[in-house]
Amino acid sequence: FIVLLTGIGAFTPSYTQKNNGFQRSAADAINSTSQRRTGPLSLFGKMFEEEGPLGKGITVGKFNLSLTCIDRSIIEQLELEADNQGTEPEELSHFANQVCLELLRKKDDWLAASSESSWFGQDDAGKAERLFNEWANTEAAKFEKEYFPEDAGTNKGGPTNAVVSIIVEIQGDETKFEGAGKSLASTQAVLSGIASDCMVDDGHCLNAIEVFWTPGAPDETLSRTDVVLDFPTLIDL
């Protein structure tokens, strides 16, 4: 389920900012889950990388979170944040920051999480962008599924579980993605790091971001079984 700056049927919001050189754009996608994998960092290669506000090179990372939604307020807030965003670096970084903060405020409702990342040198910027696009497309393809309960209509807008995925391409090597799902504290640290690093240099360190969530419609309900079956890489907290 996705939407970008313009909605697409029942699909849930996804936003992309590209800030490489003079390119800036917004693009559509669909929802998410993830795996835990840490890309090896080449210390030798890093020796020759130029230092930026967030370190050297480029990091592509993915963070996934499932949580309970008794009143669906988090879904409504994500939709509100998405509707109010533009495509300039400051606007997209603010959107990323607000999404992370909204999730942090719901820490008591967290059920499971996972994360992964890969680092690239500046000379491999094309590979970083390719990985970002691959992850976004993979997540999008996973979320064409709709979650309508058998007694559809009897619980419209009622309690549900939700899954939120954040994919970012950010300059430097200081944004840490590893640790989500190990504990509440480590999951909070990952999300807090993304929230703060996206705002560095007025958002110009953020090359790209996509945010996905499900369910996207008021009459959809994501059960605990749905989460386990459709998002198997999430680790219970």
Side-chain angles (χ1 to χ4, degrees):
F1 283 25
I2 312 182
V3 180
L4 182 41
L5 295 176
T6 57
I8 305 179
F11 294 137
T12 310
S14 162
Y15 289 80
T16 301
Q17 171 210 0
K18 299 304 295 180
N19 188 28
N20 296 324
F22 296 100
Q23 179 184 7
R24 296 174 187 169
S25 64
D28 297 331
I30 304 182
N31 273 0
S32 66
T33 184
S34 87
Q35 309 172 18
R36 171 169 291 157
R37 178 178 62 80
T38 302
L41 302 183
S42 172
L43 297 179
F44 180 78
K46 280 192 174 185
M47 292 173 59
F48 303 99
E49 288 289 326
E50 182 177 350
E51 190 90 18
L54 289 174
K56 299 180 177 182
I58 302 168
T59 300
V60 178
K62 177 166 55 175
F63 172 87
N64 300 275
L65 180 72
S66 70
L67 65 164
T68 58
C69 303
I70 302 301
D71 58 3
R72 301 201 179 211
S73 60
I74 183 62
I75 297 175
E76 295 172 357
Q77 193 61 40
L78 290 175
E79 292 173 346
L80 179 63
E81 293 293 342
D83 289 341
N84 292 332
Q85 293 311 308
T87 58
E88 293 301 313
E90 297 87 349
E91 295 171 321
L92 268 296
S93 62
H94 176 77
F95 168 71
N97 175 266
Q98 290 300 305
V99 167
C100 292
L101 292 181
E102 291 298 335
L103 294 175
L104 286 167
R105 294 183 183 112
K106 295 293 183 178
K107 185 176 64 173
D108 292 342
D109 298 330
W110 293 358
L111 297 173
S114 63
S115 60
E116 63 176 303
S117 67
S118 289
W119 180 87
F120 299 86
Q122 289 291 348
D123 289 342
D124 291 326
K127 293 181 180 179
E129 183 172 0
R130 184 182 305 119
L131 179 62
F132 175 88
N133 291 334
E134 287 177 357
W135 280 357
N137 290 336
T138 299
E139 298 307 303
K142 292 177 181 178
F143 282 82
E144 294 179 351
K145 183 174 181 178
E146 298 175 336
Y147 297 93
F148 293 108
E150 294 182 1
D151 56 344
T154 62
N155 193 38
K156 186 173 182 179
T160 183
N161 293 299
V163 176
V164 181
S165 178
I166 301 172
I167 305 174
V168 302
E169 178 188 324
I170 192 165
Q171 297 172 26
D173 59 356
E174 296 180 4
T175 305
K176 305 304 180 185
F177 289 86
E178 291 67 44
K182 291 183 178 180
S183 67
L184 279 172
S186 60
T187 301
Q188 182 177 359
V190 172
L191 194 55
S192 297
I194 298 171
S196 59
D197 288 352
C198 285
M199 301 295 288
V200 171
D201 195 20
D202 293 327
H204 286 83
C205 288
L206 182 64
N207 290 345
I209 179 169
E210 294 242 21
V211 177
F212 309 93
W213 63 85
T214 190
D219 49 351
E220 289 184 82
T221 299
L222 186 66
S223 69
R224 184 66 172 141
T225 300
D226 292 328
V227 174
V228 172
L229 292 178
D230 294 342
F231 306 93
T233 58
L234 288 169
I235 302 171
D236 288 344
L237 293 169

